Amino acid sequence: MPEIPDLNIFSRNLAKRLEGKKLSLITILINRQLKVSEAVLKETLEDQTLTAIKRIGKELKFEFQNGHVLVIHLMLHGTMYWYEGKNENRFTIAEMLFADGTGLAITDWQKAVMLKLDPEPVAVPDALDIQPDYLKKALKNTSRNIKTVLTEGKTVQGIGNAYVDEILYAAKISPFSAADKIPEDRIEVLFKAIGTVLTDAENHISQNFPDTITEKERDFLKVHRPKQKLTLAGEEILKAEIDKRKTYYTAEQELFE
């Protein structure tokens, strides 16, 4: 699943090619996750100029000149591709064709990608916008395990399964720790790890795949390494399942309970 580092890069690269261009045609090939009709999308967005593309949590927000917004959530396997002329990409959910001939195909073999027109804003803060005091208060109010708290989207937006493992590894906190048992000084460490891990990952991807709009390899991750037995530092990777999420961690991460 694309997370904050990927989506920040996607949004910048999409903006470079699409901002200021008029959307000539939007076509929905799979509508199972669409909350409005294709006709409404066409009436609202076609012939409108795209003014901005932003990331909100795990979603991409396409803002148009008439004030309307199209939000795209790529879910687990959603992928975007450029095309010119005819779209040849398999499993296409939607096509967006702009006036200069630039096409954007949104695909997903699971057909789970979500397109939303003018959704209500979400009050939950983005992971890169939170402050230490907010995190301390939020964690003290729940006894659920810290991995679930950070990934479920009710406390922070934008952190998914892979990067929460990396964040907890960097903070030396077990993913099984009860959120309300984590000491305040360790929450400070956790807060810093959120910013550092996400920023470092974005920098790595940007340097190696500067023009990408599709998720790339994650071999640079230190502990969330499904095919490896050791971290990049040589520690044994332990594997478990937490709330149906595959979890990777080490024995050195401290458990608070």
Side-chain angles (χ1 to χ4, degrees):
M1 173 184 288
E3 299 181 36
I4 284 176
D6 312 286
L7 294 170
N8 277 345
I9 295 167
F10 296 175
S11 64
R12 289 199 298 270
N13 290 331
L14 290 166
K16 282 192 291 188
R17 289 193 62 173
L18 299 179
E19 278 185 6
K21 295 180 179 179
K22 184 178 290 186
L23 179 64
S24 297
L25 182 67
I26 182 168
T27 304
I28 305 298
L29 285 80
I30 304 292
N31 64 5
R32 60 187 286 183
Q33 297 285 12
L34 196 62
K35 304 303 181 184
V36 299
S37 69
E38 182 179 11
V40 169
L41 276 183
K42 286 179 170 292
E43 181 181 355
T44 305
L45 302 179
E46 287 182 354
D47 296 322
Q48 295 296 322
T49 298
L50 182 63
T51 57
I53 300 175
K54 302 175 182 177
R55 178 194 62 80
I56 304 294
K58 296 180 189 175
E59 299 179 330
L60 293 171
K61 183 180 178 184
F62 289 64
E63 299 179 355
F64 290 86
Q65 190 173 23
N66 61 358
H68 289 284
V69 174
L70 177 67
V71 170
I72 300 173
H73 194 312
L74 294 171
M75 303 302 286
L76 191 60
H77 295 292
T79 309
M80 298 178 293
Y81 299 99
W82 298 116
Y83 71 91
E84 293 184 6
K86 185 179 180 182
N87 170 33
E88 302 285 355
N89 292 287
R90 299 176 64 198
F91 309 116
T92 297
I93 302 296
E95 299 171 348
M96 299 174 71
L97 181 63
F98 291 81
D100 69 341
T102 302
L104 179 67
I106 303 153
T107 74
D108 183 2
W109 62 268
Q110 280 193 329
K111 303 177 182 179
V113 162
M114 299 181 68
L115 278 71
K116 297 177 279 189
L117 182 64
D118 299 330
E120 291 293 324
V122 177
V124 177
D126 189 83
L128 292 179
D129 294 333
I130 61 171
Q131 298 299 319
D133 288 345
Y134 169 82
L135 190 59
K136 290 174 185 177
K137 183 177 179 181
L139 298 190
K140 291 302 179 185
N141 286 332
T142 178
S143 61
R144 302 184 74 186
N145 70 73
I146 187 61
K147 174 157 186 174
T148 298
V149 172
L150 293 179
T151 53
E152 66 183 353
K154 296 179 181 179
T155 301
V156 296
Q157 287 194 77
I159 305 176
N161 195 44
Y163 284 105
V164 77
D165 284 352
E166 293 296 303
I167 289 165
L168 292 173
Y169 172 74
K172 302 293 186 195
I173 296 173
S174 167
F176 296 96
S177 294
D180 61 350
K181 300 300 182 182
I182 301 174
E184 286 201 358
D185 62 328
R186 297 300 292 276
I187 296 176
E188 290 273 1
V189 174
L190 177 61
F191 167 77
K192 291 177 182 177
I194 291 172
T196 300
V197 167
L198 296 178
T199 301
D200 287 352
E202 181 178 337
N203 290 338
H204 175 92
I205 298 167
S206 185
Q207 289 170 9
N208 289 275
F209 307 98
D211 300 317
T212 189
I213 59 168
T214 61
E215 188 177 344
K216 298 299 182 180
E217 52 81 18
R218 288 180 170 174
D219 291 346
F220 64 92
L221 296 185
K222 297 176 181 179
V223 70
H224 190 93
R225 297 163 59 81
K227 297 180 181 179
Q228 306 299 326
K229 295 182 179 180
L230 301 177
T231 68
L232 287 183
E235 305 147 300
E236 181 186 1
I237 296 174
L238 305 177
K239 302 177 183 180
E241 190 169 287
I242 298 177
D243 291 336
K244 300 182 180 179
R245 296 182 179 96
K246 292 181 180 179
T247 300
Y248 302 86
Y249 64 106
T250 67
E252 290 75 16
Q253 291 171 239
E254 190 170 358
L255 176 64
F256 298 99
E257 56 183 353

